[in-house]
Amino acid sequence: GRRSMLPRHVQRLGRDWIAHWNGSQILALNSPVSSCMRWAGPYPWASSPLPVPADFSANWRLPPFFGPWRQFQNSNWQLDNFMQSSCFHLPNSSMKSEGEEPLTKKRRLSGQHDTSTPEEETDFSHQKEVLCLSVAQNEEKHSSKKGTVKRHWEYFCQHSRTMKIFENKETDQSNTESEAKFDFTVMSYNILSQNLLEDNSHLYKHCRQRLLIWTYRFPNILQEIKQLDADVLCLQEVQEDHYRTEIKSSLESLGYHCEYKMRTGRKPDGCAICFKTSKFSLISSNPVEFFRHDIPLLDRDNVGLVLLLQPRFHCETNAAICIANTHLLYNPRRGDIKLTQLAMLLAEIASVAPQKDGTFCPIIICGDFNSVPGSPLYRFIKEGKLNYEGLAIGKVSGQEQFPRGQRILSIPIWPKKLGISQNCVYEIKQQQKEEHAGEKLEAAKLDNTQEIVIASEKLSSKLQHHFKLSSVYSHYFPETGIPEVTTCHSRSAVTVDYIFYSAANDDTAARPGAEDSFHGGLKLLGRLALLTEKDLWTVNGLPNENNSSDHLPLLAEFRLIER
């Protein structure tokens, strides 16, 4: 008989299967991305719909509609979810313009189907992290452009935004009740410095070049900020010239006041905290430089920024909120530098956040920590303690599965001249606190005590901090155990961005058993759900046509709880 022109595995399909078609099942030319041509009803090469059943035999010939065989032969014929959607996928030749898929992506996605809709893939409505968790569709009107993956708002019951709006409309609500509540939203977003993008172009081989230019990216980033409409923005990788010429003025026109700290080295980017002047007033702005010319360990130019904000609402305690933002060193093999940078940030927070009664005001720490969930650095932030004895510097951040940095952390990690104790506070501040607590000593005796403390610290491998912090995100989807991701490019898809906060006693979203040393604090009302790696590759990873950074924005809604 005649030799079939179909690939061998499709011939076997024809011999072994009889496909049952109905009116809703269609044969289509499709691509792995969202551009898919579909026909409903009669097929263009037939005067009537295919009969039921249709027999794909070995001698069945491809309809002439599919065009020249040479083009068809080169198009990697692939079967995708045949019985469910009856849809053959033929990769679109336009995909070649975006560069070949990275090998890591091919390995991760091999054998996975992509026919489910974005709504199905991001349906997290059955999450059970706490009993009262309820999920509502995001009220923000997402763009209807192709290639978008919708994200949902996850609300904790009785504190949803819709309920808050309803309460505000109640005419019989007392002024005292309304004034006692202060709800606000905080965003953490690494917007991807254009300079760093161009210096690391190998991370973005999967992207079309036109999507990587700043004049395309900035309007998208600004549109995201407008749509999410956070009261406080913590931005990382903010390029100085772009901040000066575009970003600051654009955000000020949206009602934000902006504070900025540029990195101290040759990299022209930094961190910014912007807040709506209708919600907060600025008490103090405190930049933190992690570079120290007199300490060889601290030879990197990363920075942080700590703001003390006054909420614009009437309260008896005159409560303030401390907002911190940072971008720690990336290098996976220098956990010693990462921990020292973190200790410097925590020491600055500890000097800014104390109140008159000795307790700390509510604290929110945002940023790109270049560390993964469960790593020693992450656990130190959440648990408030870390014994680093015998810990290899390459394992601190957990970025590498097989870390190359095998040198063991020294004890202590940083030298005495840094002026920061193992409790992550400035040593001078610690002395002043002891004096105010009534532990005044004679000058000679105090000097002797200092020497004993310093000597004991040299022998101690235990770090501590005094903040009881919880993470806004849980980092895994509880129903499946699949990791959330905050960044996704050609080399990796992982969580490195976080929002940590000091939780109030009755915050059911906080980690169980968390003690509250703040006698007040913050209640997590809701968060913008994150996505899986698979979700993001359905829109060709990050950056893409609608998301112009290689990171996702994190967004949380809080309620200030008075003491």
Side-chain angles (χ1 to χ4, degrees), residues 65-78:
F65 176 80
F66 279 94
W69 168 248
R70 184 176 301 276
Q71 181 179 353
F72 175 72
Q73 190 179 27
N74 296 332
S75 60
N76 294 331
W77 182 260
Q78 109 187 42

Side-chain angles (χ1 to χ4, degrees), residues 269-400:
D269 67 281
C271 294
I273 301 180
C274 313
F275 59 89
K276 286 191 175 178
T277 55
S278 60
K279 299 279 282 193
F280 298 96
S281 59
L282 179 64
I283 298 175
S284 66
S285 178
N286 309 273
V288 185
E289 296 182 357
F290 299 144
F291 174 82
R292 288 283 298 267
H293 64 85
D294 58 334
I295 300 178
L297 173 69
L298 296 174
D299 61 350
R300 308 305 165 96
D301 55 11
N302 305 83
V303 295
L305 186 60
V306 181
L307 265 56
L308 195 61
L309 300 180
Q310 178 71 56
R312 291 188 183 275
F313 81 120
H314 175 74
C315 67
E316 295 179 0
T317 57
N318 200 29
I321 298 174
C322 181
I323 309 284
N325 183 24
T326 192
H327 188 179
L328 299 184
L329 176 70
Y330 166 76
N331 192 335
R333 299 180 295 281
R334 293 308 303 267
D336 51 347
I337 299 178
K338 291 174 189 276
L339 282 172
T340 307
Q341 291 179 346
L342 177 60
M344 296 172 74
L345 181 72
L346 294 173
E348 185 63 29
I349 294 171
S351 71
V352 170
Q355 301 181 112
K356 292 180 180 179
D357 60 0
T359 62
F360 292 110
C361 70
I363 295 168
I364 296 173
I365 307 177
C366 299
D368 181 343
F369 290 81
N370 277 314
S371 301
V372 302
S375 65
L377 186 143
Y378 173 88
R379 294 201 311 270
F380 173 52
I381 295 174
K382 283 196 68 177
E383 297 172 8
K385 58 185 178 180
L386 173 67
N387 187 346
Y388 59 86
E389 184 177 4
L391 180 62
I393 60 173
K395 294 184 178 179
V396 169
S397 64
Q399 292 164 280
E400 294 180 333

Side-chain angles (χ1 to χ4, degrees), residues 35 56 90 149 187 292 296 411 429-430 464 468 509:
S35 56
F56 286 95
L90 299 177
V149 178
M187 175 196 290
R292 288 283 298 267
I411 302 175
K429 298 283 185 183
Q430 191 173 24
Q464 290 182 326
K468 301 295 189 295

Side-chain angles (χ1 to χ4, degrees), residues 180-215:
K181 296 178 181 178
F182 183 75
D183 298 352
F184 62 101
T185 53
V186 176
M187 175 196 290
S188 182
Y189 194 10
N190 182 327
I191 65 173
L192 181 55
S193 157
Q194 188 67 23
N195 184 273
L196 291 176
L197 183 156
E198 293 168 4
D199 287 348
N200 298 276
S201 58
H202 60 283
L203 300 178
Y204 311 106
K205 291 181 179 179
H206 61 287
C207 302
R208 295 178 180 174
Q209 287 303 308
R210 69 177 183 87
L211 305 183
L212 299 179
I213 59 175
W214 178 248
T215 52

Side-chain angles (χ1 to χ4, degrees), residues 33-89:
V33 290
S34 58
S35 56
C36 179
M37 300 173 62
R38 297 185 181 271
W39 294 270
Y43 299 95
W45 57 80
S47 58
S48 61
L50 277 174
V52 179
D55 182 9
F56 286 95
S57 69
N59 293 325
W60 180 83
R61 301 194 66 178
L62 187 72
F65 176 80
F66 279 94
W69 168 248
R70 184 176 301 276
Q71 181 179 353
F72 175 72
Q73 190 179 27
N74 296 332
S75 60
N76 294 331
W77 182 260
Q78 109 187 42
L79 186 67
D80 190 350
N81 205 6
F82 179 77
M83 291 302 290
Q84 291 184 17
S85 67
S86 300
C87 182
F88 290 102
H89 285 244

Side-chain angles (χ1 to χ4, degrees), residues 1 68 101 111 132 160 167 169-170 179 206 215 226 233 237 252 266 312 340 358 363 395 450 470 475 481 495 553 556:
E101 291 179 346
C132 69
S160 71
E167 287 175 351
K169 290 181 179 178
E170 290 288 336
E179 288 173 351
H206 61 287
T215 52
K226 285 180 180 178
L233 308 175
E237 291 194 21
E252 286 177 342
R266 291 177 294 177
R312 291 188 183 275
T340 307
I363 295 168
K395 294 184 178 179
Q450 283 181 300
S470 298
H475 317 308
T495 286

Side-chain angles (χ1 to χ4, degrees), residues 97-165:
S97 65
E98 299 183 14
E100 190 177 358
E101 291 179 346
L103 292 177
T104 52
K105 173 188 167 187
K106 289 180 179 178
R107 284 197 297 269
R108 289 191 295 261
L109 301 185
S110 59
Q112 293 182 352
H113 301 301
D114 64 352
T115 54
S116 57
T117 63
E119 289 81 3
E120 292 169 345
E121 291 176 348
T122 58
D123 180 15
F124 311 134
S125 60
H126 299 295
Q127 290 193 24
K128 298 177 181 177
E129 294 174 75
V130 290
L131 292 177
C132 69
L133 181 64
S134 61
V135 180
Q137 195 80 352
N138 187 358
E139 296 100 345
E140 306 290 347
K141 294 186 177 180
H142 290 274
S143 170
S144 60
K145 295 179 183 178
K146 292 181 180 179
T148 59
V149 178
K150 289 185 179 180
R151 296 172 65 185
H152 297 78
W153 270 104
E154 297 175 341
Y155 282 117
F156 296 91
C157 71
Q158 298 182 355
H159 297 289
S160 71
R161 180 174 296 181
T162 52
M163 181 168 290
K164 183 180 72 173
I165 293 171

